[in-house]
Structure formats: C-alpha cells, structure tokens
Amino acid sequence: MDSKIVLNVAREEGRSRLKESYHNAPYKLTHYGAAGLTDHLEMIIMSASPGIMDTDYLHIDVHVKEEAQLKLFTQSFNKLHPMKTGAGQHTDVHVNAGGVFHYIPHPVTPFKDSIFKASNHIHLAEDAVLMWGDIISVGRIHMKEAFEFNRLHTQTKIFRNGKLSFIDNQLMSPKSQPIQKMLFFEGYTHQATFLFSALFAQELKQELDEILTVEYNDISYGFTQASTDVVILRALGTDGELLYDFLHMLGQLCWDFTQHKLSEKKENSMVRSIEKEKEKEKEKEKEKEKESVRKSSRKVVETGAIEGVKYA
C-alpha cells in the first residue's frame, strides 16, 4: 500500500500553526496533546496498521516555514513484518530560515525475513536547526528472532543552503555481515542515532562534553562533531524504550539550548537595532550642528557684504 503524510507549519502571531496537513490510510496525523498550549507546534503520527507489510511504501513530507518550530512524535514501535519483495519509506524535510524541527520516532523492529529501506533528505536554511533521531532493534528478541531479518538499509542526508553537509548510511544484512560482533552491535540488541544540526553545533558539543560524563550500566554511547554544523551521537543498549527515553532527554536538552541561543540572538539583534538608532540620532545631531554652523557662516558673510556696500 502506498501512503503519504504531508505536514506544513508556519509562524503566525508569535506562534507556530498548522497550515496544511494530509494523510491517508492507515496513517493519521493529529495534534499531540492540546493545541495552542505552546508557542511551538506538536504533532503525532498514528497508525491503525499492525506494522509495515511487504511492498508498503510511505512518503512523509514536512515543511517548517520561516521561524516556525515543530516537534513531531510517533505513536508506537515501527514493526516490519516478514517480506519477500521489501518495503520502503522516504522522508523529505524542508526547514526555512530560523525554523526548528525535532523528530525522534519510536524504534524500528524488524521481524524475521523483513526487508526495508528508509531514506531521509533534510534541507536546512542557513540558520535552521534540526534534532533528529532513529533507533534500530535487531528483531523480536523474546521470539528468538534476533538478527533474523533479511536486510535493513537507512540513509540520512542533511543539506544546508543546498550543499550536502552530512550523510549517514547504514546497511545491515545479518546473512552476509557479522553484525553481532565487534564494531557492530557487540552483544547489544538496539542501536540509537541522534543528530543535531545548527550553526552553533560546536557550542552544543562543548556543553555535551561537560554534561555527558556519566556512564550508564545499560547504555554505551559516544558522540563527536561530524562537521562544522553537525553533532552525532551513537548509543547501544538492550532496551528500546530506555534508548527512546535517552534520545528524548538529549532532544529536550538540545531544544532548550536552541531556545537559549535564539533568545540570545534576538537580544543581540535588539541591542544592535538600538545602537543603530542611537548612531542615527548622533548623525542627525551632527547634521543639525553642521547646518547651524553653515547658517551662521552665511549670516556673517551676508552681514559683511552689506557693511562693505555701506562703506563703499
């Protein structure tokens, strides 16, 4: 089944508002909680299906317009059922100038013999901000289906100002790769990826260096600055819900840091505006003084000319 989800968000009267939305079966797009409680918009993708079946294809199209802010949630784990041909999902995201987009979906659980490819193309304006996550499980652990899926391929590309800034390409094929061993899952059953992209990514990295110093018993993680505007974190664990909560904790931390940076930017912009106004006033005063001097000079010249005529 081919399905599509469209979400268009714009900023009006100081708040981010839903301007356009579309969904078809088995998906539904609705407000997450009560609408209008926050300045940003919160939406959730829901599904009436037990999961993704063979030959299913989902296209998600998200557009966050200038200075709008969106948090997008999912309802539950994304289950990939046994397949012969395969299923796919493609997500297009556009975040305009000053926009902020936060999306951390529930983990993907591939059943035995499942085949799935997910591609994500994220287009960011120069000062747009992105918080993005994904979590992959190795299968239905308690059904003894760990590493029994056929093929799982995820690819995420981040473009800033039309230029490729970052690409994350993961292909997992247990039948041809030793993904249970070193440099892959290393005995863990879930892998999480978190991406933060902004012009102030380096500043966030410095904050994380100070904050993420705790070692967890159930999670092994590491993070680095992948490019000038992208910070990536990878985590391994044995509990999908725990990793999901961990990524959302990181997402909220990055969201709060972003709001701080945006407020700081507005304050600096206001200060610059005030300074410009002061400079304009000074220039006006200088012009007035110059004009006053010019008028005085003309009077002196005119007076001298008149007296000269009298003496003559």
Side-chain angles (χ1 to χ4, degrees), residues 159-177:
F159 300 85
R160 189 173 290 276
N161 272 347
K163 295 181 179 180
L164 182 64
S165 173
F166 174 82
I167 180 170
D168 182 28
N169 190 31
Q170 293 192 74
L171 174 61
M172 299 182 190
S173 181
K175 294 178 182 179
S176 59
Q177 297 171 326

Side-chain angles (χ1 to χ4, degrees), residues 177-194:
Q177 297 171 326
I179 64 174
Q180 302 180 47
K181 299 181 180 179
M182 187 68 72
L183 301 180
F184 282 90
F185 277 81
E186 302 182 1
Y188 290 98
T189 57
H190 294 74
Q191 176 196 269
T193 302
F194 179 78

Side-chain angles (χ1 to χ4, degrees), residues 1-5 27 56-60 88-91:
M1 176 186 289
D2 287 351
S3 303
K4 188 171 185 179
I5 296 173
Y27 296 97
D56 280 356
Y57 183 80
L58 172 62
H59 182 201
I60 301 175
Q89 176 178 311
H90 178 72
T91 303

